[in-house]
Each structure stands twice: as C-alpha cells, then as structure tokens.
Amino acid sequence: MENYISNEYGEIQSTDVRYNQNEDDTFGINNYIITQGDVKNYISSSVNAPYDATSRNPYIQLLKDFNGEGSDSNMSKSLKLKPTDFSYLRDIGVYPLNRLIILRRFPEGAVVRKDLSKMNVEPVSVIVGWVKSDSDEILNFSFNENWRTQNKDEMLHLLINQMMSKEFGIGLDSMAPVPGWLAGSLFGILKTIGLVSPDTKVPFGDPNVLRESLTRSTEDVGHTSKFNISFETVYEQKYIGGVDMTASTYNIIRNLLTMGTSDIRYIGNLNSSILNKLRSANNNSTDVSAWIDLIKEVFNSFLGAVNRQLKPSPKSKEVIEAEEKKREEDEKERSESYTGDDKKRLESVEKQTSILNKVLHGSLVKNILASTVGKYVWPLRGSIAMLTGEAATPWHLTIGNPYAPLLSLNNIKVDNITVKLNGDMQYNDIPKYITASIDISQGRNMGKNEILDSLGIQYKRSYNKIK
C-alpha cells in the first residue's frame, strides 16, 4: 500500500508500507521504506504555470464581472449586482460562492428569460442569500405526467358512436331499428373491420370483460412539476462609507418591499371641489346648507362632465382649415358626378358619418374604449404566455455559482416575504438585524425540456489570465 506524506520542508515523499501475513492469520509490517517519490504537486507544477495567480476576494471579483457594463454580452444589465446587495449581509464570507441564491425582480412588462444573458433589462430589486451548510438539500423538485382512468363509458364502440354523432353529425342511434340494439350493432362493426376477434362473444353482461384503462388527460394540464424554494437572509447594520445606518435600514426594507409587492394607486383627486365640499359637510354635520351645496356641486359637475365628454376633441386652426378645404373640393367633385336621388342619398350618408366621427373622437368614447381594453391587459398577457411559453411573472432565481448556476429559473412567483427586525437596538434606535424569509414557487407546471433548460446555464466561467 502506498501513501503520501509531506516532510518538514514541504516536500512530497512516498511511503511504501508492505504487509506480511503471519502464521496465525494476522498481518504485520514486514518492512517500512521511506523514499523520495516523484509525486506531482499540481498546485505549483507546470500545469498552472502559464496562468497568473490571484488573491482577489471572490465576491469582489463577482461584483466586477457582474457590473452590467462590460462589453461581454454575457454580462448584461439583467445580471447586474451592486455592492449594496452584499455589503450589509451578515453571512458574507461565511459561505462559499457556489452556495449563493440570487433572487431578482424586473420591471413590469419585461419578459424574463431563463438565460438572463439573452435580455438586457436591469432588475429593480435583488435579494442575495445562501444555501446554508447545515441544510441537507441544495435543490428539491418533483415532476410527473397526468393520467386518468378511462372507464366503461369510453369503450371503443361508444367512442365511435360519440365521435360520429358529435363531430360528423351522423346519428348512429337512429340507424338501429330497435332501441338498445345500437351497442350490439357497433360491436358487430368492430368484428367486421377486424378490431375484435371473430369468435369473441358480445361482451355485454359479462362481468369478466375488461372495462378500465389509463389514458392521458387532454382536458387539463398534462404535466405536473413542483419547485418550492425557501431561503432566509440576514442583514446586519454596519456603518459603511459614511452612510447613516437609519438610511441603510430603510433602503434594505424598501428593496425587500419592491421584491414582494407593488405600490397601491388611488384614482380619486384629493383636491377636487366635490371632495372638498364633502369634507366640509362631514365637519358640519348639523349644517344642512353644507349638504345642499354638496348636492348642487355634484349635479353641476356631472352635467358639465357629460357635456365635455360628448364634444369632439379640440383641433388646431390649421387642421380645421385643411379639413374644410378638402370638404369643399369633395363636394365640388360630387356635384359634377352625381345628380338627383344619388346625390341626396350621398348627402344623407355623409351627415350620419359626420355625427359618428364626432362621437368616436369624443373623450367619452375614448375613456370607454380605454376602460374596456384595460380590463383585458393582464388576461391577454397570460394568454400570450400560454401560447408561447414565455414567463408571465417578473422574477428570476439562480442557485449555485453565479457564473454557472445549478438552477436558473424564470416564471416563478414570490409567495411570501416575512421580515423580522431583531437584535440589540443600534444607532438611532435601529435594530441590529433584519431577517428576511422568502418563499418561492414555480409560476406554472413545466415539461421535461423546460426543466432541463433551467439546469446547467453558464453565464461566464472565470479563468486566470495567461501570463
């Protein structure tokens, strides 16, 4: 048996230990020889000689490579990482780079790709964490196809009858001379075309006939997959670069909020005269005149709004003059080519068309069309994603070495973010730690090809430069 050891000078030596079997079936050392061996030291050997060694911190190198400003197409804005994404993390330097979890959120409307190098949109929020060393699982996912039981109501002769009647309008029921004879007739047809053995008896009434099978579900999702990923990251308050810890705390919370939720929008105008009169009436509930003023204001405003909405949009003087000139030229041309009843009918049509154009150009119709189309914006996005397989959600997740992550997954959704402020109170009465727990799941079920496409994506492999 040959082992390798290092001597006090760091040189590699081989030790040749030979065992000898004794008469009592035990083993003993026959001889022990230490020789200077020709063992390769791959750290200092010529294998790595052409390359410069580097002592750069891997996270510093990561920020340099993923700054979103490189000429390399693989380092697009979508992969951009900032120093503030790491600076306040408690566990920075505790866990290696290849256990990183990076969750990104992109602006609304961005189509997020699995391979972020194929898009160039900067994320609006980034949360960084690690797969903790005490965790047994780096990644856990499941998948299956969906099958269902096909029963006696879907036996072949019944399916043929259903297909002929529903798809081709041929009612085989009416072809049977006696009610209940259809099943037997169809079974006879199956014998004739050779799908059933000629000596097979009619199966009806036979309890031993197979009446069950499995088939793929065609009316529902055909594949099921499950990616549920949860991780926790902890921010620690530090005084860095002269930035007040209060400001950094609220910036961290703002980033977490941006990742998990959106701003709410108010459609009311806080400075409208109606709301001002409503506030005045509420503050003087016993003053009847205030409520009368409110009702008058609502009524007058409503009538004025209807009048304005039905009017066509204002046009510039030049546009009006050009339209008038064109109208006169058209009338002159028609007067020369149309006479009598044709001319009257044409004038009637033009009058109705003019009224319709005024209505269609009115702001009321524009608002109606905008509200009608607006209701379908998100359903249309979902329908397009269903057709193309594109991501319908704004999030993206990588697990593993950011240069070549084990998992690079889009079309995910952040189910929940829980934020806990704990630890001793620091400067400006700010808690020392902010703990964020993030729960993520896939946006939809995926097939084999989509799962494989999420694994093994390489953004950039980092090699030392040749000397």
Side-chain angles (χ1 to χ4, degrees):
M1 182 180 70
E2 193 171 32
N3 297 320
Y4 296 105
I5 61 173
S6 298
N7 64 15
E8 58 182 333
Y9 302 105
E11 297 175 351
I12 304 298
Q13 294 179 328
S14 67
T15 61
D16 188 10
V17 181
R18 296 170 184 170
Y19 295 97
N20 183 43
Q21 186 172 6
N22 301 323
E23 294 181 357
D24 58 354
D25 290 332
T26 60
F27 288 86
I29 298 177
N30 187 31
N31 51 41
Y32 185 82
I33 304 171
I34 299 180
T35 59
Q36 180 69 35
D38 185 20
V39 180
K40 277 279 188 183
N41 183 351
Y42 287 99
I43 297 176
S44 60
S45 72
S46 60
V47 174
N48 290 313
Y51 301 96
D52 284 329
T54 178
S55 59
R56 185 187 294 271
N57 183 291
Y59 288 98
I60 300 297
Q61 186 66 46
L62 179 67
L63 291 172
K64 179 182 177 182
D65 291 336
F66 284 69
N67 60 15
E69 301 173 359
S71 57
D72 188 348
S73 61
N74 287 339
M75 296 297 103
S76 68
K77 290 181 180 178
S78 303
L79 290 163
K80 184 174 182 179
L81 296 172
K82 298 178 292 186
T84 51
D85 297 330
F86 294 88
S87 301
Y88 296 95
L89 293 175
R90 183 195 64 183
D91 298 328
I92 183 74
V94 176
Y95 301 103
L97 204 68
N98 59 8
R99 300 181 77 91
L100 265 179
I101 299 176
I102 302 178
L103 177 63
R104 296 175 172 91
R105 179 171 185 163
F106 292 90
E108 182 180 314
V111 179
V112 182
R113 309 290 293 270
K114 281 189 178 74
D115 187 344
L116 290 182
S117 64
K118 294 181 179 179
M119 58 184 293
N120 199 33
V121 180
E122 187 172 336
V124 296
S125 177
V126 176
I127 296 179
V128 175
W130 287 267
V131 178
K132 303 299 176 65
S133 58
D134 56 357
S135 174
D136 295 330
E137 296 178 351
I138 302 295
L139 180 63
N140 185 336
F141 61 96
S142 62
F143 47 87
N144 64 276
E145 291 179 341
N146 290 332
W147 292 69
R148 68 174 180 85
T149 300
Q150 185 169 333
N151 57 33
K152 60 183 180 60
D153 295 328
E154 298 176 279
M155 294 184 72
L156 182 58
H157 62 286
L158 297 177
L159 284 177
I160 291 176
N161 180 41
Q162 179 182 338
M163 180 180 67
M164 296 297 289
S165 60
K166 288 187 176 180
E167 306 299 334
F168 300 101
I170 302 175
L172 297 181
D173 291 337
S174 60
M175 298 172 59
V178 178
W181 284 18
L182 176 63
S185 301
L186 288 173
F187 191 76
I189 294 174
L190 296 182
K191 279 188 177 183
T192 303
I193 62 178
L195 287 175
V196 178
S197 176
D199 58 350
T200 302
K201 296 180 181 180
V202 176
F204 311 111
D206 186 352
N208 297 319
V209 171
L210 178 64
R211 292 181 173 85
E212 183 180 76
S213 179
L214 282 177
T215 184
R216 290 293 301 275
S217 176
T218 58
E219 302 299 327
D220 204 348
V221 177
H223 305 85
T224 299
S225 61
K226 188 176 181 180
F227 281 79
N228 285 331
I229 300 166
S230 298
F231 71 97
E232 181 180 278
T233 190
V234 181
Y235 298 89
E236 182 179 8
Q237 293 314 308
K238 307 170 187 176
Y239 189 73
I240 301 175
V243 177
D244 187 280
M245 285 194 288
T246 304
S248 64
T249 296
Y250 290 131
N251 281 335
I252 291 170
I253 295 175
R254 182 182 293 108
N255 179 62
L256 295 172
L257 287 168
T258 302
M259 180 63 73
T261 188
S262 307
D263 291 337
I264 197 166
R265 299 185 180 96
Y266 309 102
I267 61 174
N269 179 9
L270 294 176
N271 298 317
S272 72
S273 59
I274 293 179
L275 289 181
N276 288 332
K277 289 186 179 297
L278 177 60
R279 296 186 187 102
S280 176
N282 280 331
N283 292 333
N284 300 279
S285 57
T286 58
D287 186 2
V288 179
S289 62
W291 290 100
I292 294 175
D293 290 340
L294 172 63
I295 294 172
K296 287 181 179 179
E297 182 67 25
V298 172
F299 185 75
N300 292 331
S301 299
F302 178 77
L303 291 179
V306 171
N307 185 45
R308 289 191 299 272
Q309 292 282 355
L310 292 176
K311 287 182 178 179
S313 301
K315 299 178 180 178
S316 65
K317 181 180 179 182
E318 292 78 9
V319 172
I320 295 175
E321 290 176 352
E323 289 179 350
E324 182 66 22
K325 183 178 179 180
K326 180 142 188 342
R327 187 181 64 80
E328 292 175 355
E329 293 176 351
D330 292 341
E331 287 180 356
K332 183 179 179 181
E333 182 180 351
R334 283 192 297 273
S335 64
E336 296 173 354
S337 56
Y338 293 96
T339 58
D341 295 338
D342 291 338
K343 187 174 182 180
K344 290 180 180 179
R345 282 195 295 270
L346 183 63
E347 289 176 352
S348 176
V349 171
E350 286 181 344
K351 184 178 180 180
Q352 295 175 19
T353 304
S354 176
I355 295 173
L356 180 62
N357 284 334
K358 289 180 180 180
V359 173
L360 290 176
H361 284 87
S363 56
L364 175 61
V365 174
K366 290 182 179 178
N367 288 338
I368 293 173
L369 291 174
S371 62
T372 302
V373 175
K375 292 188 296 184
Y376 292 96
V377 169
W378 282 100
L380 284 172
R381 286 180 179 177
S383 297
I384 292 172
M386 195 185 303
L387 285 173
T388 63
E390 293 178 339
T393 65
W395 293 283
H396 187 278
L397 177 76
T398 61
I399 298 178
N401 189 334
Y403 294 98
L406 174 67
L407 178 72
S408 184
L409 190 62
N410 66 341
N411 213 15
I412 59 173
K413 61 186 178 76
V414 173
D415 294 319
N416 185 65
I417 296 180
T418 301
V419 177
K420 297 179 181 179
L421 280 68
N422 52 357
D424 297 334
M425 302 300 284
Q426 302 294 298
Y427 177 77
N428 277 1
D429 298 326
I430 297 296
K432 184 175 183 179
Y433 298 112
I434 301 175
T435 303
S437 302
I438 300 99
D439 298 321
I440 303 164
S441 62
Q442 63 182 20
R444 62 170 176 81
N445 295 298
M446 295 188 292
K448 179 186 71 174
N449 56 325
E450 295 177 312
I451 296 175
L452 282 174
D453 289 343
S454 301
L455 304 172
I457 291 177
Q458 292 195 13
Y459 294 120
K460 183 178 181 180
R461 275 297 188 186
S462 183
Y463 298 99
N464 292 331
K465 295 180 179 180
I466 296 178
K467 290 180 179 179

